[in-house]
Amino acid sequence: MLNWGYLSSHNRSGGVMHNVETVESGQTFAQALRAFEAAWVDPRHTAIELPPVDVNKVLADRYAVEPAVHMTRRHLWDMEVRKAWDPLTYIPYVVSEGKSWASIPLPGNGRRHLRSSIQKAWVSDDRGRVLEEVVTDIDGQRIIFLGHAELPGPDGTALHADHHQPLFHVEHAVGGTEDAPTNRWRILVLTDEPEDRYREPFDAMVEAGWLPGFIEIYIERDLGAVLRRR
């Protein structure tokens, strides 16, 4: 069994797989958030914060929707929880294999599980295994994804991340009000120095003005609506 503690390895793609303290049973979402925020302010890393997306405004302005859908915070949070556990269903344009395991409750109405997926790299067509520790704040409606070089698989055998890109951390969260929710998203690539090439796909996405693909998929798959971009 892999010893839970500090996990690190060098990433041959040019970034560093920095040490990240894993969150064990009995710890809290706050500890995972502290690890994320400590990495966020590290000047070596590439930190990307997308502007909040007013989901219903974008739906009204940029889509034809049949039947009509009004998204609530409850809908957005349901989507985030489903996506965190099942990335293959909700981000198939990035993920070609995905599985989650070892879900446990945390104090303060949190949960933690582990996740392995084969993902397309941020800035190339290369694909490789990504390992993440997924820590959820149910009350705060926030999920932290901490990238790891190594994690124990479902049977305890050590799994290793591929080296097609640096490790990264992500925060997905729901903001706004119940009837006017916003999608919030932060990405942190653990580079050796800031690299604008990791920002470019997100800048292009913001410029395009569509909803993130995972929200489009949720509306069609789980709410039964048909979306047409316009």
Side-chain angles (χ1 to χ4, degrees):
M1 176 72 73
L2 181 68
N3 181 32
W4 286 94
Y6 284 88
L7 305 177
S8 67
S9 177
H10 187 265
N11 186 329
R12 292 185 295 238
S13 67
V16 173
M17 292 189 171
H18 299 293
N19 293 335
V20 178
E21 187 175 5
T22 59
V23 178
E24 301 181 22
S25 180
Q27 298 185 330
T28 65
F29 173 84
Q31 289 171 293
L33 182 61
R34 282 197 294 271
F36 182 97
E37 297 293 359
W40 183 264
V41 299
D42 188 321
R44 298 172 297 173
H45 298 161
T46 303
I48 305 160
E49 183 167 10
L50 276 63
V53 175
D54 184 333
V55 175
N56 288 310
K57 183 178 189 306
V58 175
L59 272 177
D61 292 349
R62 302 301 306 276
Y63 293 84
V65 187
E66 181 62 37
V69 166
H70 182 84
M71 292 288 287
T72 63
R73 279 189 70 126
R74 180 180 61 81
H75 287 132
L76 273 191
W77 181 239
D78 181 52
M79 179 276 300
E80 293 292 0
V81 171
R82 290 170 183 262
K83 173 167 59 69
W85 185 261
D86 182 8
L88 181 59
T89 294
Y90 292 94
I91 47 173
Y93 45 90
V94 174
V95 171
S96 55
E97 296 179 23
K99 62 181 178 181
S100 294
W101 67 96
S103 178
I104 60 171
L106 297 176
N109 203 21
R111 291 203 69 84
R112 195 284 312 274
H113 70 268
L114 304 181
R115 191 171 89 168
S116 171
S117 56
I118 303 299
Q119 295 193 17
K120 181 179 178 294
W122 295 112
V123 295
S124 76
D125 290 329
D126 293 341
R127 289 185 175 270
R129 184 172 305 281
V130 172
L131 299 175
E132 296 165 294
E133 181 178 14
V134 183
V135 190
T136 300
D137 175 6
I138 297 171
D139 293 336
Q141 296 188 331
R142 304 170 72 180
I143 305 178
I144 296 289
F145 300 76
L146 297 176
H148 285 277
E150 183 179 324
L151 284 175
D155 63 356
T157 302
L159 300 177
H160 298 92
D162 287 328
H163 299 288
H164 63 304
Q165 64 182 356
L167 284 180
F168 60 88
H169 305 330
V170 174
E171 180 189 23
H172 284 290
V174 179
T177 65
E178 178 62 23
D179 289 323
T182 59
N183 175 253
R184 306 182 70 92
W185 190 0
R186 289 195 290 170
I187 304 97
L188 181 65
V189 186
L190 304 189
T191 48
D192 293 322
E193 60 183 18
E195 296 188 41
D196 285 341
R197 63 186 178 130
Y198 290 106
R199 304 180 192 278
E200 291 169 1
F202 296 101
D203 290 342
M205 186 181 72
V206 171
E207 179 68 22
W210 307 113
L211 291 173
F214 45 80
I215 298 180
E216 292 182 338
I217 288 170
Y218 176 82
I219 291 172
E220 294 198 317
R221 180 184 187 276
D222 296 290
L223 301 186
V226 176
L227 299 180
R228 180 172 57 83
R229 291 179 172 182
R230 60 186 185 190

